[in-house]
Amino acid sequence: MTLYPAIDLKDGKAVRLTKGLMDSAKIYSNEPYELVKKFESMGATWVHLVDLNGAFAGEPKNLEQIIKIRQNTSVKLELGGGIRDEATIQKMLDIGIDRIILGSIAVKDPQFVKDMAKKYPIAVGIDAIDGYVAVEGWGEVSSMKATDLAREFADAGVEAIICTDVGRDGTLSGVNVDFTLSIAKSSGVSTIASGGVKDESDILALEKTQSVDGVIIGKAYYEGSLDLEKMFKIIKN
């Protein structure tokens, strides 16, 4: 199982939100690339990046910091937030991003995502509130069930599905193992858990299922409830 330390970018800074609310942003670093270097030194092979401004604007907004991260580190990077057309996908890959996360567009135009997955390294981001898909930076809730959307990409060639329980995100209330498993079962695609990870027990519970391929770690690290360096030694990354 791969551990994905997470950095959310807002106004050029590394922040974490609570339940996806932009006005809840807490700043953890003014130089996000330094955090990535620290994760790399701990043993990270991947880092999960989200352009929060981009998610709301519908186009990347933290390019300067993203480029800085890429130029100063050698970990693999996956990036989401406002990537909704092929030109932007190509631009991000040209910068050196290793995997592109498509979220809102996966609900609105699943065929586009399937087409892109045939050509590029794509992950689908499925963010859910009470089991229904949230879009536009979690500002809207659609009428589609998260499991139905996951099923849509069962044989589409996407590299992974990243599923987030928005209600738990940034709350340190514990990861939603059952929700993660429902996405993995519906899609048959490599599934990465996100939202609510609190401590070591969450990571071990996900690993024990043997059905979850990764977990995104954010506030648990930043607030000190999870010893990330220790986890990299325990979990084969």
Side-chain angles (χ1 to χ4, degrees), residues 94-105:
D94 288 344
I95 286 170
I97 298 300
D98 296 280
R99 183 157 67 202
I100 303 299
I101 304 164
L102 300 178
S104 296
I105 192 70

Side-chain angles (χ1 to χ4, degrees), residues 70-223:
R70 180 67 291 166
Q71 290 176 341
N72 285 278
T73 62
S74 57
V75 293
K76 290 184 178 180
L77 300 171
E78 61 177 25
L79 172 68
I83 303 171
R84 299 181 190 169
D85 57 54
E86 186 169 3
T88 306
I89 290 171
Q90 289 179 321
K91 184 177 182 180
M92 295 302 107
L93 293 173
D94 288 344
I95 286 170
I97 298 300
D98 296 280
R99 183 157 67 202
I100 303 299
I101 304 164
L102 300 178
S104 296
I105 192 70
V107 182
K108 297 180 177 179
D109 191 353
Q111 188 57 50
F112 169 77
V113 176
K114 293 173 185 178
D115 292 342
M116 294 301 98
K118 292 173 184 173
K119 301 166 70 174
Y120 308 110
I122 299 293
V124 172
I126 298 181
D127 306 327
I129 296 175
D130 297 327
Y132 288 87
V133 178
V135 294
E136 306 300 335
W138 302 347
E140 300 174 18
V141 181
S142 74
S143 59
M144 178 177 283
K145 286 186 177 180
T147 49
D148 289 340
L149 184 59
R151 203 170 287 115
E152 181 80 31
F153 297 104
D155 299 304
V158 299
E159 289 193 354
I161 289 179
I162 300 166
C163 59
T164 304
D165 183 337
V166 174
R168 297 192 188 207
D169 194 67
T171 65
L172 299 177
S173 59
V175 71
N176 192 334
V177 177
D178 290 342
F179 169 64
T180 307
L181 289 176
S182 73
I183 296 296
K185 185 178 179 181
S186 297
S187 67
V189 173
S190 176
T191 301
I192 299 168
S194 173
V197 171
K198 179 184 180 183
D199 54 28
E200 183 177 321
S201 65
D202 282 322
I203 310 295
L204 297 177
L206 289 167
E207 187 189 37
K208 189 178 179 180
T209 68
Q210 299 186 325
S211 298
V212 179
D213 294 300
V215 56
I216 291 169
I217 299 164
K219 192 170 279 189
Y221 164 73
Y222 295 110
E223 293 293 320

Side-chain angles (χ1 to χ4, degrees), residues 24-71:
S24 72
K26 181 176 180 180
I27 298 169
Y28 288 99
S29 175
N30 291 320
E31 287 291 355
Y33 82 92
E34 291 180 352
L35 275 176
V36 180
K37 288 179 75 172
K38 190 172 183 180
F39 294 144
E40 190 171 19
S41 71
M42 289 181 185
T45 55
W46 279 91
V47 170
H48 175 84
L49 301 176
V50 178
D51 182 343
L52 291 174
N53 302 103
F56 283 89
E59 59 183 4
K61 290 293 183 181
N62 284 279
L63 268 180
E64 184 180 337
Q65 288 297 340
I66 293 165
I67 292 169
K68 206 170 184 180
I69 289 168
R70 180 67 291 166
Q71 290 176 341

